[in-house]
Amino acid sequence: RLAALRSREDLVDELRPGDVFEVRSSMDSLVLKTFLTSHAGGLWVLCASPTPTVVDRATPEAVSRLLQRLAAEFRYVVVDTGARLDPFTVAAVGVATDHVAVTSMDVSSARALRRQLAMLSSVIGVPESRHVVLNRAERAHGVGPREIESLLGIPVDVVVPTAAEVPAAANFGTPAVWRKRGGPFGKAVAHLVQRIHEGELSVVA
């Protein structure tokens, strides 16, 4: 037992950020958590690498495997995917039980999301549960939620209003819902959480 523990400690000491995608790292619970950063709110975060070259070994298959391993450790796994529909985004959505599709209150954003949803549907199908979120919802230049829904061709499930606490929260690294509880922004986020929580699903992308 002592020898096994020592070999694991040696492995942890030798780890680099990109190693999280390796099988031996992602499959060991203790080793896996060394890649995560804990937050005061009880969250564990897998932060972006300091340099792009660190994750050169990452593949869509490795991303899928890592997300499934995280889902085995945590009740919920939330993935912030990129804006482009690259192989890594497809891999994340492919293992997700919930898909949160976000658009803002402008025509170009809504049209881009519609194209992405159509492409995703043709590649991997529609996820088990999808939530369409209209972010920074503030009617401007004659465009409102109904016009966005018309452009998307599907209903908007959650409308998140513009809120001053959001940029402040980003600057200080604290959740926006902590800064102003019970306001319109907090209620919109609570609505989205409730939709996801109802199904007791694990990986959200």
Side-chain angles (χ1 to χ4, degrees):
R1 290 182 180 179
L2 181 59
L5 180 60
R6 182 58 193 168
S7 63
R8 180 181 290 183
E9 289 176 349
D10 290 341
L11 172 61
V12 169
D13 290 340
E14 297 171 359
L15 290 175
R16 296 169 296 176
D19 291 338
V20 70
F21 297 106
E22 298 293 334
V23 174
R24 66 172 185 168
S25 300
S26 62
M27 295 309 291
D28 187 293
S29 178
L30 175 64
V31 176
L32 178 61
K33 285 192 174 181
T34 64
F35 294 99
L36 307 179
T37 301
S38 61
H39 187 272
L43 303 175
W44 289 84
V45 183
L46 179 60
C47 301
S49 62
T51 59
T53 56
V54 171
V55 291
D56 280 346
R57 287 172 295 167
T59 64
E61 294 75 19
V63 169
S64 297
R65 183 177 60 246
L66 175 60
L67 292 178
Q68 291 171 329
R69 184 66 187 89
L70 288 169
E73 290 289 329
F74 299 96
R75 186 175 182 180
Y76 296 106
V77 178
V78 179
V79 184
D80 182 14
T81 61
R84 296 189 305 111
L85 196 59
D86 57 28
F88 298 101
T89 297
V90 173
V93 177
V95 298
T97 47
D98 271 47
H99 178 207
V100 179
V102 182
T103 184
S104 57
M105 193 75 83
D106 63 84
V107 172
S108 60
S109 178
R111 286 176 173 169
L113 179 58
R114 180 171 182 169
R115 289 193 297 270
Q116 286 197 349
L117 293 177
M119 292 173 64
L120 276 173
S121 180
S122 66
V123 174
I124 58 176
V126 179
E128 182 178 335
S129 185
R130 182 173 65 195
H131 316 277
V132 179
V133 175
L134 179 55
N135 194 27
R136 298 195 299 274
E138 185 176 311
R139 177 176 284 275
H141 307 295
V143 178
R146 290 187 178 180
E147 288 77 16
I148 296 299
E149 286 185 330
S150 179
L151 288 167
L152 290 174
I154 53 177
V156 169
D157 300 304
V158 180
V159 177
V160 181
T162 299
E165 59 264 32
V166 174
N171 289 336
F172 288 97
T174 57
V177 292
W178 287 7
R179 303 184 68 84
K180 188 176 181 181
R181 300 180 185 274
F185 175 82
K187 290 179 180 178
V189 173
H191 181 202
L192 175 60
V193 171
Q194 182 60 34
R195 287 178 58 91
I196 295 171
H197 180 70
E198 285 176 352
E200 282 296 304
L201 303 174
S202 56
V203 180
V204 182

